[in-house]
Amino acid sequence: MLANYLIGLREGLEGALIVTILVAYLVKVARRDLLGRLWTGVGLAVLLALTIGAVLTFGTASLPESAEPAIAGSLSVAATGLVTWMVFWMLRTARDLSGHLRGTIDRSLVGTGVGLVLVAFLAVGREGIETALFIWAAVQSTGETTLPLIGAALGILTAVALGALIYFGMLKINLARFFTWSGAILIVVAAGVLSYGVHDLQESGILPGEHALAFDVSSAIPPESWYGTLLKGTLNFSPETTWLSLLAWLAYTGTVLTLFLVKSARGRTVRPLAVPRAAGTSTAATATATVPAPIH
């Protein structure tokens, strides 16, 4: 539940910030008449994410039992790759996220503004697809259903609430610090999902070494114990880990986490990024968050 709450919070806040900037800018340029088109795009993006989640859940359940490990393993590896790309994309793009989105909106305001539906759909849909795939993979790796989904839902609801508070100027968040810490934790979670995916591919026979165990500590850390469940849910730790799964976890964590921390350290100098103030609002409505300065 905790790991999936973090996933929902992190990915949800990215989407909430995008929507906040889009809405505030339309209000600022006195184009409230296009807010309906904006929310249409956001709604379609959310619907797409829910559809993908449903297809992954019910589609894989109807597969032959022999095919499930191969599909689950492949999707887990794909989810790890996608979330890794998005973590680094946000680290780079957040420095000028507001300016990038405003420029995209300006090009979509020509004529009836129908293009704004596509702008909102693509901007939010990208986050939604990533979130749906990664949460599905994380839920699969825990072997549970209800609590991980509750955690993800609570994380997304928290992100929506934070986005509203930022829009109305009631909350300021150091985005540089938030995305650095949450990104690092998310990389560790993704490493567990990757390890789980590799084990599934071994179970399906695609990868070798299913019975070549690096360690077996199931007697010291029973999977049914509270601490075994905690380690499984947060780090996707398995008491019986194969050599290939362990090497995948170590290689991914060592490489990706180191690269992420190095890139984050290069952008320690921060500058303010302001959500555009909506016309007619008080000065408090300009929510400011600090983000890294450009990396040279």
Side-chain angles (χ1 to χ4, degrees), residues 48-60 132 136:
L48 174 64
L50 293 175
T51 301
I52 290 177
V55 169
L56 290 173
T57 302
F58 300 108
T60 55
W136 179 86

Side-chain angles (χ1 to χ4, degrees), residues 162-187:
L162 291 176
L165 292 174
I166 291 174
Y167 176 78
F168 291 109
M170 300 171 64
L171 179 68
K172 292 181 180 180
I173 295 179
N174 187 318
L175 292 183
R177 184 172 299 173
F178 173 81
F179 283 124
T180 297
W181 282 99
S182 64
I185 297 173
L186 205 59
I187 287 172

Side-chain angles (χ1 to χ4, degrees), residues 1 3-4 137-145 148 196 229 232-234 236:
M1 186 173 182
N4 283 276
V139 170
Q140 289 290 112
S141 66
T142 62
E144 300 290 337
T145 302
Y196 166 81
T229 302
K232 179 70 173 178
T234 54
N236 202 23

Side-chain angles (χ1 to χ4, degrees), residues 31 65 111 120 128 160 194 201 235 265 269:
R31 292 305 304 268
E65 187 174 345
V160 171
L194 175 62
L201 292 176
L235 302 177
T269 305

Side-chain angles (χ1 to χ4, degrees), residues 67-78 136 193-194 196-201:
E68 286 185 18
I71 298 298
S74 300
L75 290 176
S76 295
V77 173
W136 179 86
V193 172
L194 175 62
Y196 166 81
V198 169
H199 181 268
D200 263 3
L201 292 176

Side-chain angles (χ1 to χ4, degrees), residues 171-252:
L171 179 68
K172 292 181 180 180
I173 295 179
N174 187 318
L175 292 183
R177 184 172 299 173
F178 173 81
F179 283 124
T180 297
W181 282 99
S182 64
I185 297 173
L186 205 59
I187 287 172
V188 175
V189 174
V193 172
L194 175 62
S195 177
Y196 166 81
V198 169
H199 181 268
D200 263 3
L201 292 176
Q202 288 180 301
E203 187 178 335
S204 67
I206 296 177
L207 293 178
E210 178 185 359
H211 303 292
L213 297 180
F215 57 81
D216 182 356
V217 294
S218 53
S219 58
I221 308 178
E224 301 80 11
S225 63
W226 69 267
Y227 46 91
T229 302
L230 180 64
L231 289 172
K232 179 70 173 178
T234 54
L235 302 177
N236 202 23
F237 173 80
S238 175
E240 299 180 9
T241 299
T242 65
W243 277 108
L244 192 57
S245 295
L246 177 61
L247 290 175
W249 191 93
L250 291 174
Y252 176 86

